[in-house]
């Protein structure tokens, strides 16, 4: 792989309800891009191409053609080529992959990748229905009130049938991620209050949403945006020299993996019966990223930012990253290995459960957080000595799978 460098970026505060402040999707997009330019010490004219990750702006706001926003952010971006990318909750990662291809091909030297979602302008049930566009509509989840908790409850049930699953292990993931979020100044749940019953099977303190999934097992409906700038090695050398930074101090993408599984959850689970992994396409994306980065596995990582749209998704990711044998993620949980002070912290940012989940922004936010970690810029949620971080971002019920390895 040619090196694709990450020059920095910006994440909005995911606790902010932009509609309540009488702001629009464009306001969110523009604010994030302008702040990212300032944080990265770049001028708008430095950016040669733009990529936008977004899932369902049309359903939440009626707005498409998001690449056209760049020309309104700053006059110097008018005329800049831009594309939008959609892969449900992995939309931001698809935008990153497309920007990497632009850099690696030599077409452009600097790319702006913006992930954005505006979701808190509608009632909760409407938001849930909008997000249901990532299932095979009309073919699955027809009886569910809340589509995605029901879909991932099916994954939990599969784990229970194959390996055995205990709810307290899922609850411990939620408890950890909400605790990690308290360290993150951009986290949606950083000031939320809980007690021990909040992470139990107490139906009043932690009511069932669908099946295995209770309130604290679910990620948040969020407004938010995240932006990163990717650059070629030639440009990164100029940039580092201009800023008086050694090139080796800049983060770069060491490896990546991308797979797309059949859309139906029932088909995924049926097809995986002969595999030791519940979602072999997830495992492939992660192991492809390891291989491209020249890593042997999780022992070469210092932290992981993974997709915890539900606690079972992180539970699945633990064994699919190889921290344990398949079905044995509970071991890493009980031993404290994935805790903030554990041997391999998982979601030190708070993850989607604690930090928030503006869908199109999540993959870009993970890349930004990985960059912060390996450059010692994560503040109160910095993992000491982190130099290599893995990410995993999923769209749909394990349909779109994207993994990255970020390091210095």
């Amino acid at each position: 792989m040619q090196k694709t460098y990450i020059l920095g970026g910006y994440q909005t505060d995911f606790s902010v309800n932009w509609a309540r402040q009488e702001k629009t999707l464009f306001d969110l997009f523009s604010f994030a891009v302008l702040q990212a330019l300032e944080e990265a010490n770049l001028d708008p004219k430095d950016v040669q191409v733009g990529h936008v990750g977004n899932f369902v702006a049309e359903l939440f706001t009626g707005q498409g053609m998001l690449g056209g926003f760049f020309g309104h952010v700053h006059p110097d971006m008018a005329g800049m080529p831009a594309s939008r990318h959609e892969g449900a909750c992995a939309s931001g990662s698809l935008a990153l992959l497309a920007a990497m291809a632009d850099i690696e091909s030599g077409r452009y030297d600097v790319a702006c990748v913006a992930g954005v979602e505006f979701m808190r302008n509608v009632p909760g049930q409407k938001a849930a229905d909008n997000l249901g566009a990532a299932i095979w509509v009309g073919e699955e989840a027809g009886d569910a009130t809340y589509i995605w908790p029901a879909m991932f409850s099916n994954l939990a049930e599969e784990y229970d049938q194959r390996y055995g699953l205990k709810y307290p292990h899922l609850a411990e993931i939620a408890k950890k991620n909400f605790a990690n979020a308290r360290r993150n100044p951009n986290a949606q749940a950083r000031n939320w209050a809980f007690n021990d019953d909040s992470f139990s099977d107490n139906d009043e303190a932690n009511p069932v949403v669908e099946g295995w999934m209770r309130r604290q097992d679910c990620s948040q409906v969020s407004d938010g945006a995240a932006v990163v700038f990717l650059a070629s090695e030639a440009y990164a050398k100029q940039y580092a020299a201009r800023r008086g930074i050694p090139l080796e101090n800049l983060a770069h993408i060491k490896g990546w993996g991308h797979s797309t599984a059949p859309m139906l959850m029932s088909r995924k689970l049926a097809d995986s019966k002969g595999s030791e992994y519940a979602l072999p396409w997830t495992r492939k994306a992660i192991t492809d990223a390891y291989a491209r980065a020249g890593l042997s596995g999780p022992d070469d990582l210092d932290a992981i930012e993974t997709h915890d749209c539900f606690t079972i998704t992180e539970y699945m990711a633990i064994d699919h990253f190889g921290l344990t044998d398949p079905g044995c993620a509970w071991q890493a949980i009980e031993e404290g290995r994935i805790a903030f002070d554990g041997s391999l912290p998982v979601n030190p940012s708070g993850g989607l459960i604690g930090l928030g989940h503006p869908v199109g922004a999540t993959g870009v936010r993970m890349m930004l957080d990985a960059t912060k970690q390996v450059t010692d810029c994560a503040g109160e949620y910095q993992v000491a000595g982190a130099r290599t971080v893995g990410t995993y971002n999923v769209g749909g019920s394990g349909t779109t799978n994207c993994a990255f390895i970020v390091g210095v």
Side-chain angles (χ1 to χ4, degrees):
M1 281 181 56
Q2 298 180 41
K3 285 186 178 179
T4 299
Y5 284 83
I6 309 159
L7 304 184
Y10 181 78
Q11 177 204 328
T12 65
D13 181 346
F14 285 0
S15 73
V16 174
N17 184 321
W18 284 70
R20 191 171 293 166
Q21 295 193 1
E22 299 185 348
K23 301 293 185 180
T24 67
L25 174 64
F26 172 73
D27 293 325
L28 174 58
F29 181 95
S30 179
F31 176 79
V33 172
L34 289 172
Q35 289 295 122
L37 287 163
E38 184 175 335
E39 288 288 327
N41 195 22
L42 289 169
D43 292 325
K45 67 178 185 303
D46 295 330
V47 182
Q48 299 169 352
V49 65
H51 291 274
V52 183
N54 175 266
F55 177 27
V56 278
E58 289 89 346
L59 295 182
F60 280 96
T61 70
Q63 181 65 60
M65 282 295 294
L66 302 189
F69 277 169
F70 279 111
H72 295 276
V73 171
H74 193 280
D76 287 346
M77 289 181 159
M80 181 185 75
S83 304
R84 174 188 171 186
H85 308 269
E86 186 277 311
C89 301
S91 298
S93 289
L94 295 185
L96 287 164
L97 287 168
M100 284 179 65
D102 270 346
I103 299 298
E104 290 171 343
S105 70
R107 287 183 176 181
Y108 306 106
D109 283 308
V110 183
C112 176
V113 184
V116 62
E117 211 75 55
F118 193 93
M119 308 198 307
R120 298 177 71 186
N121 60 325
V122 301
Q125 183 63 60
K126 176 62 174 173
D129 292 344
N130 288 348
L131 295 173
I135 65 167
W136 190 335
V137 177
E139 296 292 330
E140 58 183 340
D143 297 332
T145 301
Y146 297 102
I147 292 170
W148 288 112
M151 294 291 284
F152 280 94
S153 177
N154 291 342
L155 179 61
E157 185 63 26
E158 183 73 12
Y159 260 79
D160 189 39
Q161 291 179 11
R162 287 195 188 193
Y163 318 107
L165 179 65
K166 295 181 179 180
Y167 182 74
H169 293 132
L170 300 181
E172 191 60 31
I173 288 173
K175 187 175 183 179
K176 167 186 69 72
N177 290 351
F178 279 118
N180 287 350
R182 298 188 71 83
R183 302 181 177 90
N184 190 334
N186 289 317
Q188 187 169 349
R190 63 185 182 270
N191 295 318
W192 293 9
F194 298 99
N195 57 43
D196 287 340
D197 285 342
S198 302
F199 305 100
S200 71
D201 57 3
N202 183 310
D203 289 341
E204 291 187 7
N206 193 21
V208 171
V209 180
E210 293 276 358
W212 280 82
M213 298 296 96
R214 294 174 177 269
R215 177 187 291 161
Q216 263 65 262
D217 294 296
C218 304
S219 59
Q220 313 310 318
V221 174
S222 317
D223 293 342
V227 178
V228 296
F229 298 100
L230 304 186
S232 66
E233 185 167 8
Y235 187 90
K237 288 178 179 178
Q238 299 172 19
Y239 175 85
R242 185 172 79 239
R243 298 198 62 189
I245 303 170
L247 181 65
E248 57 268 24
N249 287 3
L250 291 180
H252 66 277
I253 299 170
K254 301 178 74 171
W256 59 273
H258 176 203
S259 69
T260 305
M263 187 178 292
L264 290 172
M265 175 64 98
S266 60
R267 169 73 181 276
K268 294 181 184 75
L269 297 180
D271 285 359
S272 72
K273 292 297 186 183
S275 169
E276 58 182 336
Y277 290 95
L279 294 177
W281 307 272
T282 295
R283 176 65 175 165
K284 174 175 170 50
I286 292 170
T287 54
D288 283 354
Y290 284 153
R292 289 187 173 106
L295 306 185
S296 62
D299 289 345
D300 295 329
L301 298 176
D302 299 307
I304 290 171
E305 283 289 331
T306 195
H307 203 97
D308 58 319
C309 51
F310 300 95
T311 51
I312 186 61
T313 325
E314 179 170 329
Y315 191 92
M316 175 274 297
I318 291 168
D319 66 39
H320 284 56
F321 265 99
L323 276 71
T324 70
D325 290 337
C328 296
W330 58 271
Q331 295 172 345
I333 296 167
E334 288 192 356
E335 294 165 8
R337 280 187 272 155
I338 65 169
F340 185 78
D341 58 355
S343 59
L344 184 53
V346 175
N347 285 331
S349 68
L352 285 62
I353 286 174
L355 171 53
H357 183 28
V359 173
T362 289
V364 184
R365 191 277 304 165
M366 288 179 177
M367 177 70 71
L368 179 61
D369 267 324
T371 300
K372 290 178 180 179
Q373 289 289 350
V374 302
T375 56
D376 291 318
C377 294
E380 292 298 315
Y381 62 101
Q382 176 68 50
V383 174
R387 289 297 175 267
T388 306
V389 174
T391 74
Y392 169 64
N393 183 207
V394 60
S397 56
T399 305
T400 301
N401 302 279
C402 299
F404 294 96
I405 308 295
V406 177
V408 289

